[in-house]
């Protein structure tokens, strides 16, 4: 089969040639020589869906050519009727008006090629004979052949010119060889390809260029792969820095979350000691106190583990997770900050949400960024009116939507998409990376993130996440209900 | 810890509700379940009667607010802060001595609590000797 880059000539000894501008010649001695090569040349063109033009001259007649081709291509009549092949007499084609006119012929070629291309043929295959050529026209014809190389140029076009060997003297053979890329002739009875030194050199150069090109492509591909890896690495690094920075801002508030179970454990310890001291010691109370100490110790460990997960630099994971649970943990970590900033929190977490697939830490980072942004946005409004609403719901399409709504001054930006551009910030001390990182995280999860203005005061940030597509992802019992405070939500996740 | 317990034991000699029950009840208002249960267990060990509430709203809705001789209020609750609870009590003309507790290492809340008439503000983990002392003082009043 023909490929993008090569044509199959159908002539065994030639094999495939470059698909663009093949112009070669053949010296024949007998009619059989012609049929031996041209039949398979035309057949191969038809099989490759090319347009074929066979310009016939004596010793062959049009009928002989057609009959011989029909033996190899049984449905030739159909091809002829469909104008996929044309078998034309050379004298009519080359000697219109009875004389040879190279310029006229060249422009006729251009016209012919344009007509065939217009019919939708990507590739054209031509062969023409020269026995009609008179000696007086030889030089003129050689100029024309030379000029034909320009016509053929970079088209998907193959031209095979056939010359009767007996009619050519040595000077003519030299001329023909000079104007064609290579020539075919019988040698000891077998077809042989004779290439010019220039062609050999060109081929060698081409091969060398090809090798060079391949080497460069491999090199550039390697560079791109490395750049892409480095980019991923930096994105991971950047996301990590953003998390650590955010957690750093929250350090004081987060210590509150660690302190709660520690305080409870210590108080239980004192209670246990006191019950041990009573007369007689109340061992059941002591046992209960010890039991609580263990629980509170575990609770402190959980909080620390969650903090550690958020500040740790880890490669992206793909877990199935309950988004409500992930949100509950983030609210628990930001609880101290919310209290400190006098922000009241409401959650409206839809029940029976499907599991989603993704990296828990990255998604929690997005939620964390949105909550921190909301708190900062509300720092300018009165303490009594700082309200944060965090909600989840299922989209009609099945995915999950998370929204974080604040009661701040709203968004004073014309193009809300700009908020998600890197280094775009509306905050005096902001880096402008939080939302940009959030967007890349959400998009990497196959979701979408956007901002909108509230009907009332404030802004809402929302993102969607597609549902995990595995069977275990079926409805997951929700652990939250409407209008519960984050404390309740957070406690349920423990 | 054992030092603190020693001190608690020594203080037993200096009066207060030794052995018998104080007629009045201590309210513990904290939205952290672990801590409010711990405080209840601890205060019961000193023979105090304790009632716990998960939020300021729950506490204010209690039908026996006037039975409380002392309230231990978490300052940093999400829905209604300890300070707001104190203000609501004052608005209703109820003067229940309040001890504030907080896990925040943050002074401005404490100062506001003092300003609002709290007996004291104890950081979590709480100083238990001081807590018992304050509770007794409140109940004696």
């Amino acid at each position: 089969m023909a490929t993008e880059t090569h044509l199959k000539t159908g002539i065994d000894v030639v094999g495939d040639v470059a698909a663009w501008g093949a112009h070669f010649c053949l010296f024949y001695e007998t009619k059989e020589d012609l049929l031996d090569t041209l039949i398979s040349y035309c057949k191969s063109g038809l099989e490759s869906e090319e347009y074929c033009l066979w310009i016939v001259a004596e010793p062959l007649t049009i009928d002989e050519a057609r009959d011989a081709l029909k033996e190899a291509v049984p449905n030739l009549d159909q091809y002829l009727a469909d104008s996929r092949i044309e078998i034309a007499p050379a004298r009519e084609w080359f000697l219109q008006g009875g004389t040879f006119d190279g310029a006229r012929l060249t422009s006729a070629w251009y016209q012919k090629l344009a007509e065939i291309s217009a019919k939708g043929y990507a590739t054209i295959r031509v062969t023409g004979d020269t026995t009609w050529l008179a000696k007086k026209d030889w030089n003129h014809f050689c100029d024309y052949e030379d000029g034909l190389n320009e016509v053929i140029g970079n088209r998907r076009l193959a031209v095979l010119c056939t010359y009767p060997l007996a009619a050519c003297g040595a000077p003519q053979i030299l001329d023909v060889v000079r104007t064609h890329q290579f020539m075919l002739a019988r040698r000891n009875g077998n077809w042989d390809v004779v290439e010019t030194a220039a062609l050999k050199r060109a081929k060698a150069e081409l091969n060398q260029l090809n090798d060079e090109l391949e080497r460069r492509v491999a090199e550039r591909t390697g560079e791109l792969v490395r750049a892409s890896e480095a980019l991923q690495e930096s994105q991971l690094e950047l996301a990590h820095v953003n998390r650590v920075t955010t957690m750093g801002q929250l350090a004081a508030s987060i210590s509150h979350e660690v302190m709660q179970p520690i305080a409870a454990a210590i108080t239980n310890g004192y209670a246990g000691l006191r019950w041990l001291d009573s007369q007689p010691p109340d061992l059941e109370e002591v046992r209960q106190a010890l039991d609580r100490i263990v629980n509170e110790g575990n609770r402190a460990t959980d909080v620390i583990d969650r903090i550690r997960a958020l500040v740790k630099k880890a490669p992206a994971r793909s877990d199935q997770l309950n988004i409500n649970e992930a949100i509950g943990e983030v609210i628990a970590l930001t609880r101290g900050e919310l209290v400190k900033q006098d922000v009241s929190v409401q959650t409206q977490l839809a029940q029976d949400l499907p599991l989603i697939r993704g990296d828990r830490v990255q998604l929690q980072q997005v939620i964390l960024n949105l909550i921190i942004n909301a708190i900062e946005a509300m720092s300018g409004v009165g303490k009594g009116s700082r309200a944060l609403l965090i909600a989840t719901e299922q989209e009609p399409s099945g995915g999950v939507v998370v929204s974080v709504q604040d009661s701040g001054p709203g968004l004073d930006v014309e193009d809300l998409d700009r908020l998600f551009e890197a280094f775009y910030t509306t905050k005096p001390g902001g880096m402008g990376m939080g939302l940009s990182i959030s967007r890349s995280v959400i998009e990497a999860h196959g979701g979408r993130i956007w901002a909108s203005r509230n009907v009332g005061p404030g802004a809402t940030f929302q993102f969607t996440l597609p549902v995990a597509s595995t069977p275990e992802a079926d409805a997951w019992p929700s652990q939250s209900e409407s209008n519960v405070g984050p404390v309740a939500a957070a406690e349920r996740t423990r | 810890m054992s030092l603190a317990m020693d001190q608690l034991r020594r203080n037993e000699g200096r009066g207060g509700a030794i052995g018998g029950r104080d007629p009045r009840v201590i309210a513990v208002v904290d939205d952290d379940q672990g801590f409010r249960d711990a405080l209840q267990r601890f205060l019961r060990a000193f023979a105090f009667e304790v009632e716990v509430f998960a939020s300021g709203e729950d506490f204010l809705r209690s039908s026996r607010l006037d039975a409380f001789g002392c309230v231990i209020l978490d300052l940093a609750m999400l829905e209604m802060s300890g300070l707001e609870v104190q203000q609501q009590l004052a608005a209703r003309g109820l003067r229940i001595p309040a001890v504030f507790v907080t896990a925040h290492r943050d002074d401005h809340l404490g100062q506001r609590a003092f300003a609002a008439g709290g007996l004291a503000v104890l950081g979590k983990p709480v100083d238990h000797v001081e807590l018992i002392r304050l509770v007794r003082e409140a109940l004696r009043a």
Side-chain angles (χ1 to χ4, degrees):
Chain A
M1 274 300 289
T3 65
E4 276 296 301
T5 53
H6 285 84
L7 298 182
K8 195 178 163 192
T9 60
I11 302 169
D12 289 346
V13 71
V14 179
D16 294 352
V17 293
W20 287 275
H23 185 201
F24 57 108
C25 61
L26 177 147
F27 289 98
Y28 64 90
E29 290 169 75
T30 62
K31 203 191 281 189
E32 285 65 39
D33 283 352
L34 274 178
L35 294 176
D36 191 35
T37 49
L38 297 187
I39 296 298
S40 55
Y41 177 74
C42 290
K43 179 176 185 235
S44 167
L46 288 169
E47 284 169 353
S48 304
E49 309 279 320
E50 298 168 16
Y51 187 89
C52 296
L53 173 56
W54 184 358
I55 302 165
V56 181
E58 54 276 14
L60 272 180
T61 65
I62 295 283
D63 289 346
E64 279 173 329
R66 189 177 51 229
D67 293 346
L69 186 55
K70 200 171 170 179
E71 269 180 49
V73 182
N75 51 342
L76 179 66
D77 289 340
Q78 190 60 48
Y79 284 135
L80 285 165
D82 293 347
S83 291
R84 286 193 44 194
I85 180 166
E86 212 177 318
I87 302 175
R91 284 178 194 283
E92 276 178 30
W93 177 253
F94 290 108
L95 298 175
Q96 265 181 24
T99 54
F100 176 76
D101 182 342
R104 183 195 55 75
L105 196 54
T106 302
S107 70
W109 270 120
Y110 276 117
Q111 200 185 332
K112 185 79 187 168
L113 295 175
E115 277 169 22
I116 297 169
S117 297
K119 286 185 189 170
Y121 290 92
T123 311
I124 300 164
R125 174 175 304 223
V126 179
T127 178
D129 198 87
T130 52
T131 39
W132 48 269
L133 192 56
K135 275 254 166 18
K136 67 172 174 66
D137 288 329
W138 182 261
N139 286 339
H140 191 168
F141 186 77
C142 284
D143 291 344
Y144 152 80
E145 280 272 37
D146 212 9
L148 202 55
N149 283 320
E150 228 163 88
V151 180
I152 296 166
N154 282 328
R155 291 167 192 268
R156 288 184 68 92
L157 178 67
V159 178
L160 168 55
C161 305
T162 53
Y163 289 84
L165 188 58
C168 295
Q172 284 79 31
I173 292 176
L174 287 176
D175 281 340
V176 172
V177 168
R178 193 175 55 77
T179 51
H180 293 80
Q181 290 161 358
F182 59 91
M183 89 178 196
L184 276 171
R186 290 248 190 223
R187 188 176 180 216
N188 305 326
N190 296 319
W191 289 110
D192 192 23
V193 174
V194 183
E195 285 177 344
T196 63
L199 181 68
K200 279 183 183 160
R201 201 169 56 237
K203 275 188 173 173
E205 271 173 28
L206 201 61
N207 281 338
Q208 204 181 335
L209 285 174
N210 256 334
D211 289 349
E212 172 70 9
L213 192 65
E214 268 172 40
R215 195 184 56 73
R216 278 189 171 168
V217 167
E219 205 172 274
R220 288 306 303 271
T221 308
E223 279 171 19
L224 286 173
V225 167
R226 279 192 296 279
S228 155
E229 282 167 358
L231 181 65
Q232 267 182 346
E233 181 63 29
S234 342
Q235 277 176 339
L236 213 60
E237 187 77 39
L238 187 62
H240 177 241
V241 168
N242 169 266
R243 281 204 301 278
V244 173
T245 310
T246 311
M247 295 296 274
Q249 286 169 3
L250 291 176
S253 305
I254 286 173
S255 71
H256 173 269
E257 292 315 304
V258 186
M259 198 53 84
Q260 288 282 29
I262 292 174
I266 290 174
T267 299
N268 272 308
Y270 279 121
L273 287 169
R274 178 73 187 181
W275 285 112
L276 205 53
D277 273 353
S278 61
Q279 294 301 328
D282 189 331
L283 293 181
E284 178 51 26
E285 288 282 4
V286 174
R287 197 194 60 75
Q288 281 181 24
L290 289 174
D291 188 57
R292 296 310 306 170
I293 291 172
V294 173
N295 280 345
E296 296 299 334
N298 286 336
R299 196 177 126 200
T301 310
D302 284 352
V303 175
I304 290 169
D305 280 349
R306 266 181 237 141
I307 295 167
R308 206 151 50 179
L310 276 169
V311 296
K312 204 166 83 178
K313 200 176 118 192
R317 292 167 51 109
S318 178
D319 303 318
Q320 290 200 32
L321 56 103
N322 176 343
I323 193 74
N324 287 349
E325 218 174 86
I327 292 172
E329 287 177 8
V330 178
I331 296 175
L333 284 181
T334 51
R335 185 181 175 280
E337 187 68 15
L338 292 163
V339 168
K340 204 163 96 184
Q341 304 290 342
D342 282 313
V343 174
S344 74
V345 187
Q346 265 202 351
T347 53
Q348 289 175 1
L349 306 179
Q351 301 199 18
D352 303 325
L353 283 180
L355 293 187
I356 52 125
R357 179 171 284 287
D359 185 292
R360 185 183 201 88
V361 166
Q362 288 185 6
L363 293 174
Q364 288 188 321
Q365 174 175 11
V366 173
I367 298 161
L368 185 64
N369 281 339
L370 295 182
I371 292 177
I372 299 301
N373 281 350
I375 293 175
E376 285 178 357
M378 290 188 286
S379 63
V381 303
K383 290 196 170 174
S385 45
R386 295 178 191 168
L388 182 66
L389 173 67
I390 300 169
T392 53
E393 58 183 319
Q394 189 161 10
E395 287 186 302
S397 63
V400 169
V401 197
V402 177
S403 58
V404 176
Q405 182 182 331
D406 67 55
S407 61
L411 298 166
D412 188 22
V413 192
E414 206 141 290
D415 182 2
L416 294 177
D417 275 350
R418 285 207 64 192
L419 292 169
F420 298 93
E421 285 172 13
F423 303 115
Y424 183 85
T425 181
T426 56
K427 295 182 284 192
M431 267 271 287
M433 290 313 290
L435 285 175
S436 150
I437 291 167
S438 298
R439 181 170 68 176
S440 49
V441 167
I442 294 301
E443 287 178 354
H445 280 78
R448 212 164 62 78
I449 185 167
W450 69 97
S452 51
R453 298 179 180 88
N454 295 346
V455 178
T460 301
F461 285 81
Q462 280 170 290
F463 63 85
T464 59
L465 291 170
V467 167
S469 51
T470 43
E472 310 101 90
D474 289 342
W476 178 266
S478 167
Q479 304 195 349
S480 295
E481 51 207 46
S482 297
N483 289 328
V484 292
V487 187
E491 272 177 7
R492 282 192 194 93
T493 64
R494 287 189 186 119
Chain B
M1 188 183 291
S2 60
L3 270 178
M5 279 313 286
D6 287 347
Q7 203 177 345
L8 279 172
R9 281 183 204 120
R10 277 200 302 279
N11 289 351
E12 287 304 279
R14 287 193 231 149
I18 312 163
R21 280 186 175 278
D22 192 282
R24 283 180 297 171
V25 183
I26 301 167
V28 173
V29 186
D30 196 317
D31 59 3
D32 188 89
Q33 191 193 346
F35 188 75
R36 68 173 181 266
D37 289 352
L39 215 47
Q40 182 181 32
R41 183 168 293 111
F42 175 73
L43 291 169
R44 278 199 295 105
F46 282 82
F48 293 114
E49 193 184 331
V50 185
E51 192 170 340
V52 295
F53 299 92
S55 72
E57 288 89 340
D58 283 359
F59 171 61
L60 291 170
R61 271 197 296 270
S62 166
S63 55
R64 42 183 280 198
L65 275 183
D66 51 0
F68 296 115
C70 175
V71 58
I72 300 173
L73 277 169
D74 185 24
L75 266 182
M77 288 182 290
L78 207 55
E79 310 217 342
M80 183 187 279
S81 76
L83 272 180
E84 286 172 83
V85 176
Q86 163 92 336
Q87 282 155 9
Q88 293 265 338
L89 287 175
R92 298 185 195 184
L94 288 165
R95 300 184 60 83
I96 307 174
V99 175
F100 291 102
V101 291
T102 178
H104 273 293
R105 295 287 183 270
D106 183 338
D107 281 343
H108 84 277
L109 276 175
Q111 282 157 10
R112 279 162 61 194
F114 268 125
L119 281 182
V121 179
L122 299 179
K124 291 181 185 176
V126 295
D127 177 338
H128 293 74
V129 177
E130 183 65 3
L131 179 68
I132 292 294
R133 191 187 67 74
L134 288 164
V135 167
R136 282 178 179 152
E137 185 185 313
L139 294 182
R140 262 201 305 271

